[in-house]
Amino acid sequence: MVRFLQKASLFKGLLSGEKPSRGPFYINLDVTHRCNLNCLGCPYHSQESDLPSRSAQMVKDIPFDLVTRLCDELKRLKTERILLIGEGEPLLHPHIFEIISKCKESGFHVAMYTNGTLFDSARIESILDSRLDMLQVSLWASSPEIYEKNYPGTDPNNFNKVVEGLKSLNSIKKQRKNNLPSVFLRHPINKHNFQSIDAFVELAWSTGCEGLLFTPMRPYGGRFDSFELSAHEENVLCNSLNQLKKRIKSLPLKHNLEDILFKYQYGKRVWEKFPCYAGWTRSSIKTDGTVQPCHSCNLIMGDLHQSSFQDIWKGLPYQDFRRKTFTREGLVSLKESAECEFCHHIRMHAYIYRLHKWLSPLEPLLKGRALSSTLR
């Protein structure tokens, strides 16, 4: 029922104007800019990236009082999920478990993305006590050798630390008969690891994870071109992913194979295929309180230290963003401000686009009703 109501409110907004009838489905909450790694394809901390960063001026950790106020607002706007993800490692925030607790007390489904290197016994206990719904552990390697290539300058023993930490977390979770959090291993794919994805499946299974998620390494405007797959390598990878389906099903593990195959089919020029619905479905909050439409888009919609989230969500910058992302020309005009290649949400956008086209004959009727209500 909740999902039906979500969809109904989404299409009501899409068809009747530029203001949504409710808040975003979920929020990406950037809790910290601090990180203890320099993953090869990270636009913020990689030694290979020349991406301009606000890190010198940026608030390192999001203030807890800002999270508290945001949770209260989002609850009123009927947002359902908060993803603790961003430019750094969430477990480095000194109040991360208080943040999780506040989000859960407010009724949100809460997921956290981590690099898995900080899984000591105390943090494992705190994670299991926190009522966190989902934990995604990002790992660019299935062996110490590949780890060293994807985390240059980092102790390759970190690979074993992540593996043992995952095993310990999932073992204690089983002993405690906890259903939560669901633990997924996430694997960004590049030239250094695309030939070892079968080993990654075995790694997810042997560490006790519930599932695994593959994602293409994003090029970020050509900054990581030397690590991106060639067209031939993409074909090799997609064939391997198709062959993995039977093995994954036999284990069994949850997975996103259909999703990643869809990304490799359409992801490089997604703006030519589908509109973007980020302005209707999600929002990204940075550590300094600035609001962006997506964690891959650096356009600023507003500042939570100056305005409420609701005012920002329904304000003019967001309305302008929604107008532009409905057309190919508008999306092209935003390319300098957004990293849309291999969009994480491309399959959802394709689904919304198909339904939107089917429902579009109702648009004049709904706009007429909105105008009539305004005139009264």
Side-chain angles (χ1 to χ4, degrees):
M1 177 59 72
V2 171
R3 291 194 175 192
F4 172 79
L5 293 175
Q6 273 190 332
K7 292 174 185 176
S9 66
L10 169 64
F11 288 107
K12 179 182 177 183
L14 287 173
L15 295 173
S16 61
E18 294 149 3
K19 292 185 180 181
S21 59
R22 60 181 288 164
F25 294 172
Y26 66 90
I27 291 287
N28 289 326
L29 190 60
D30 189 355
V31 294
T32 184
H33 188 75
R34 306 172 193 273
C35 197
N36 60 332
L37 293 181
N38 54 350
C39 309
L40 191 66
C42 174
Y44 311 109
H45 301 284
S46 172
Q47 297 173 354
E48 304 290 333
S49 177
D50 62 353
L51 190 70
S53 174
R54 296 182 295 153
S55 59
Q57 301 81 29
M58 201 166 200
V59 175
K60 294 297 183 184
D61 303 313
I62 196 167
F64 182 69
D65 63 336
L66 180 60
V67 176
T68 298
R69 179 161 56 85
L70 182 63
C71 284
D72 294 340
E73 277 203 75
L74 293 174
K75 187 175 181 179
R76 291 194 296 271
L77 289 171
K78 297 183 170 58
T79 294
E80 295 181 353
R81 298 173 64 206
I82 292 180
L83 312 184
L84 305 178
I85 180 176
E87 298 186 11
E89 166 53 49
L91 288 173
L92 289 173
H93 193 294
H95 303 293
I96 185 59
F97 293 108
E98 290 94 327
I99 289 174
I100 294 173
S101 178
K102 174 58 183 175
C103 293
K104 289 298 298 179
E105 287 172 6
S106 300
F108 298 108
H109 179 284
V110 185
M112 183 170 70
Y113 294 60
T114 174
N115 61 39
T117 59
L118 301 175
F119 286 160
D120 57 23
S121 57
R123 288 193 180 95
I124 287 173
E125 293 290 341
S126 295
I127 288 170
L128 294 175
D129 289 339
S130 71
R131 298 181 295 137
L132 184 72
D133 294 283
M134 177 184 287
L135 182 69
Q136 287 196 26
V137 180
S138 179
L139 186 58
W140 292 64
S142 55
S143 70
E145 294 74 24
I146 299 176
Y147 191 95
E148 196 167 8
K149 291 180 180 179
N150 278 301
Y151 300 84
T154 302
D155 183 356
N157 190 53
N158 274 345
F159 173 79
N160 294 320
K161 187 186 294 185
V162 174
V163 170
E164 293 308 312
L166 270 171
K167 287 180 178 178
S168 180
L169 187 151
N170 285 316
S171 175
I172 296 171
K173 174 186 165 184
K174 187 175 180 180
Q175 290 171 18
R176 290 172 52 160
K177 298 182 180 179
N178 278 26
N179 292 323
L180 297 176
S182 299
V183 183
F184 283 76
L185 204 50
R186 188 177 189 89
H187 191 41
I189 296 176
N190 63 11
K191 270 188 184 295
H192 292 321
N193 61 26
F194 80 99
Q195 292 179 308
S196 60
I197 58 170
D198 52 342
F200 197 80
V201 174
E202 303 306 321
L203 183 64
W205 177 248
S206 66
T207 52
C209 292
E210 185 173 323
L212 75 165
L213 304 167
F214 293 108
T215 183
M217 187 188 79
R218 306 179 80 172
Y220 287 98
R223 292 176 178 85
F224 302 118
D225 277 355
S226 58
F227 311 110
E228 193 178 1
L229 302 187
S230 67
H232 172 70
E233 288 168 336
E234 281 188 14
N235 287 333
V236 171
L237 171 66
C238 290
N239 287 334
S240 299
L241 289 168
N242 276 308
Q243 292 171 13
L244 275 178
K245 290 179 181 178
K246 185 179 292 187
R247 172 58 179 156
I248 292 176
K249 187 177 180 180
S250 71
L251 288 175
L253 285 168
K254 295 180 180 177
H255 62 85
N256 71 334
L257 291 183
E258 297 302 330
D259 182 60
I260 189 173
L261 288 168
F262 194 87
K263 286 178 184 176
Y264 276 112
Q265 183 178 3
Y266 295 109
K268 283 197 171 180
R269 302 189 70 82
V270 58
W271 56 87
E272 295 181 354
K273 303 295 182 181
F274 310 106
C276 171
Y277 298 98
W280 302 88
T281 59
R282 60 188 179 276
S283 195
S284 182
I285 314 296
K286 309 303 286 185
T287 56
D288 60 1
T290 53
V291 179
Q292 298 176 183
C294 175
H295 71 276
S296 298
C297 178
N298 60 25
L299 292 172
I300 304 300
M301 301 289 103
D303 186 338
L304 290 173
H305 294 295
Q306 300 174 6
S307 307
S308 70
F309 181 82
Q310 177 170 312
D311 287 345
I312 295 170
W313 180 243
K314 295 187 176 181
L316 292 176
Y318 248 121
Q319 290 179 46
D320 182 59
F321 178 79
R322 293 180 187 114
R323 276 195 301 271
K324 287 181 177 177
T325 53
F326 267 177
T327 67
R328 181 184 297 183
E329 294 76 15
L331 285 168
V332 170
S333 75
L334 297 174
K335 280 188 64 180
E336 295 300 315
S337 304
E339 174 56 36
C340 295
E341 290 188 38
F342 292 124
C343 170
H344 293 309
H345 312 282
I346 180 174
R347 204 168 175 208
M348 179 180 71
H349 290 176
Y351 171 75
I352 295 173
Y353 177 58
R354 286 193 292 269
L355 286 180
H356 190 195
K357 283 181 66 177
W358 182 71
L359 291 170
S360 59
L362 298 175
E363 189 167 354
L365 176 63
L366 287 174
K367 283 189 174 179
R369 284 183 177 176
L371 178 60
S372 174
S373 175
T374 302
L375 290 173
R376 287 197 212 106

